[in-house]
Amino acid sequence: MWSVGIVGTGSYVPENILTNVDLEKIVDTNDEWIITRTGIKERHIAPKDMPVSELCYQAGLRALEDAQVAPEEIDLVLVATITPDYAFPATACLVADRLGAKNAAAFDLEAGCTGFIYGVATASQFVATGMYKKVLVIGGETLSKILNWEDRSTCILFGDGAGAAVLQRVEEGFGLLSFELGSDGSGGKLLSQPAGGSKLPASLETIEKNLHTVQMEGKEVYKFAVRIMGEVSVNVLEKAGLTKDDIDLLVPHQANMRIVDAAVKRLGISPDKVVINLDKYGNMSAASIPVALDEAVKAGRLAEGDIVVMVGFGTGLTWGACVLKWTKVGIQG
Ligand code: COA
């Protein structure tokens, strides 16, 4: 098996910003409540005519440029999303087409906010076996399009964006050292979009009842998240033969500052090793981790040989984490 690393990253968020103060005009909420309970100050919202494939395309383009890889060289485009353009065709096919990735297979993967970790773990198998040489993994979401803008307990939390990474073979001992993925479907109802699928097809009644929008039991999700983030981070470090002291950078899913704080406390690492951008973007679901990673890379927070841990949780329920020994130097062939 070859070692597999992330040799390029890119991200994109729509221009339009919705602040907490803007939200005060839409629902019964206030800036202070949102900041105290979540840490979020503002989020980016895609215009009505901008589908998630556009965000994914922009992020993918930037990742390819960063990796200095031509679209024709990509063997697989994998898009992690719960807000695809359509139920079908897959958003990954649309993105591959726009990028000009003519030689790529393409499919979507759905693991909620853990989508990017699931995507990296899945895509890396193709590269590790030598089956594919270069893979583009994108986490992209337009949660704003499936929110109930009258429900203050959910609509304040989410934002739109996309982040991408190019995976390629790297020098032995670098790249992905370990990963762990998990799921528990018994918690599926805690965070869902109940209508629009085969269980509850779209009807006037489902629309009237707002069942095409995000439904969440916030407190239960919170309790699960606080427990799982620390647990899975510890497990994945153990699998890599490392300890918390080896962590140079933690890139957690950006859902709620209190959830991140709890994970950081459990790990016992210094807060300056943690990437935080949820104040600017809110929870961008599958886009949250790759956007945070890209911003950290561009800010020079990762050097060759650094140990980076990415960890997330989401609908499903799902959770996952991975450990990388950082290098952006790919090996051809
Ligand atoms: N503005 C003002 N008040 C609000 C509000 C808002 N946007 N949303 C809820 N409230 C009110 C509630 O009605 C409740 O009022 P009450 O005490 O009079 O009944 C009070 O604030 C407390 O609500 P509660 O739901 O207990 O708050 P909380 O501390 O649990 O925080 C979340 C709510 C949603 C921020 C928190 O539960 C959370 O982050 N959960 C995880 C969600 C998540 O990460 N989802 C994505 C997973 S990928």
Side-chain angles (χ1 to χ4, degrees), residues 27-29 33 38 147-148 150-158 214-218:
V27 282
D28 180 15
T29 190
W33 191 96
T38 71
L147 289 172
N148 175 357
E150 290 174 3
D151 176 9
R152 67 177 183 174
S153 68
T154 52
C155 76
I156 57 133
L157 297 173
F158 299 97
V214 173
Q215 316 285 318
M216 185 178 71
E217 290 183 36

Side-chain angles (χ1 to χ4, degrees), residues 29 33 37 113 152 216 218-219 222 255-256 258 283 313:
T29 190
W33 191 96
R37 301 285 175 128
C113 305
R152 67 177 183 174
M216 185 178 71
K219 263 202 188 340
Y222 184 88
N256 183 318
R258 291 186 293 153
N283 179 349
F313 64 93

Side-chain angles (χ1 to χ4, degrees), residues 261-326:
D261 282 343
V264 171
K265 203 168 151 203
R266 163 87 198 269
L267 276 171
I269 60 168
S270 161
D272 63 9
K273 291 184 173 177
V274 184
V275 183
I276 299 295
N277 65 9
L278 64 84
D279 52 326
K280 293 187 292 177
Y281 303 123
N283 179 349
M284 295 187 291
S285 186
S288 135
I289 291 175
V291 170
L293 177 69
D294 182 49
E295 290 194 343
V297 173
K298 302 289 156 62
R301 292 183 71 179
L302 271 172
E304 184 87 359
D306 276 357
I307 296 295
V308 53
V309 176
M310 299 193 267
V311 58
F313 64 93
T315 178
L317 299 166
T318 60
W319 57 91
C322 61
V323 179
L324 287 130
K325 186 168 181 174
W326 191 253

Side-chain angles (χ1 to χ4, degrees), residues 77-263:
V77 174
L78 195 165
V79 171
T81 187
I82 53 168
T83 49
D85 282 21
Y86 311 105
F88 60 91
T91 299
C93 295
L94 309 174
V95 175
D97 179 53
R98 276 211 62 196
L99 286 169
K102 295 189 180 73
N103 303 309
F107 65 90
D108 289 359
L109 179 156
E110 192 198 301
C113 305
T114 326
F116 184 72
I117 306 273
Y118 265 72
V120 167
T122 303
S124 66
Q125 306 308 309
F126 289 98
V127 182
T129 55
M131 203 57 89
Y132 289 152
K133 291 189 168 52
K134 288 166 189 164
V135 177
L136 180 62
V137 179
I138 306 172
E141 301 286 9
T142 47
L143 261 294
S144 69
K145 310 223 184 217
I146 60 162
L147 289 172
N148 175 357
W149 288 98
E150 290 174 3
D151 176 9
R152 67 177 183 174
S153 68
T154 52
C155 76
I156 57 133
L157 297 173
F158 299 97
D160 301 336
V166 177
L167 269 57
Q168 192 183 332
R169 187 182 157 196
V170 294
E171 196 184 317
E172 204 181 329
F174 284 80
L176 194 63
L177 301 184
S178 68
F179 68 84
E180 177 159 312
L181 305 175
S183 75
D184 176 8
S186 72
K189 284 192 179 136
L190 297 180
L191 181 52
S192 70
Q193 182 191 21
S198 62
K199 173 106 175 171
L200 209 52
S203 69
L204 279 178
E205 192 191 348
T206 61
I207 289 168
E208 270 162 21
K209 290 184 174 164
N210 260 320
L211 295 174
H212 301 83
T213 61
V214 173
Q215 316 285 318
M216 185 178 71
E217 290 183 36
K219 263 202 188 340
E220 291 307 311
V221 175
Y222 184 88
K223 280 191 263 176
F224 152 72
V226 164
R227 176 176 61 78
I228 207 72
M229 288 280 272
E231 224 169 87
V232 69
S233 302
V234 170
N235 290 350
V236 85
L237 278 166
E238 256 175 42
K239 277 189 180 173
L242 300 172
T243 72
K244 65 179 179 62
D245 297 330
D246 297 306
I247 299 177
D248 294 299
L249 200 70
L250 180 75
V251 187
H253 173 44
Q254 312 277 317
N256 183 318
M257 198 56 214
R258 291 186 293 153
I259 295 173
V260 175
D261 282 343

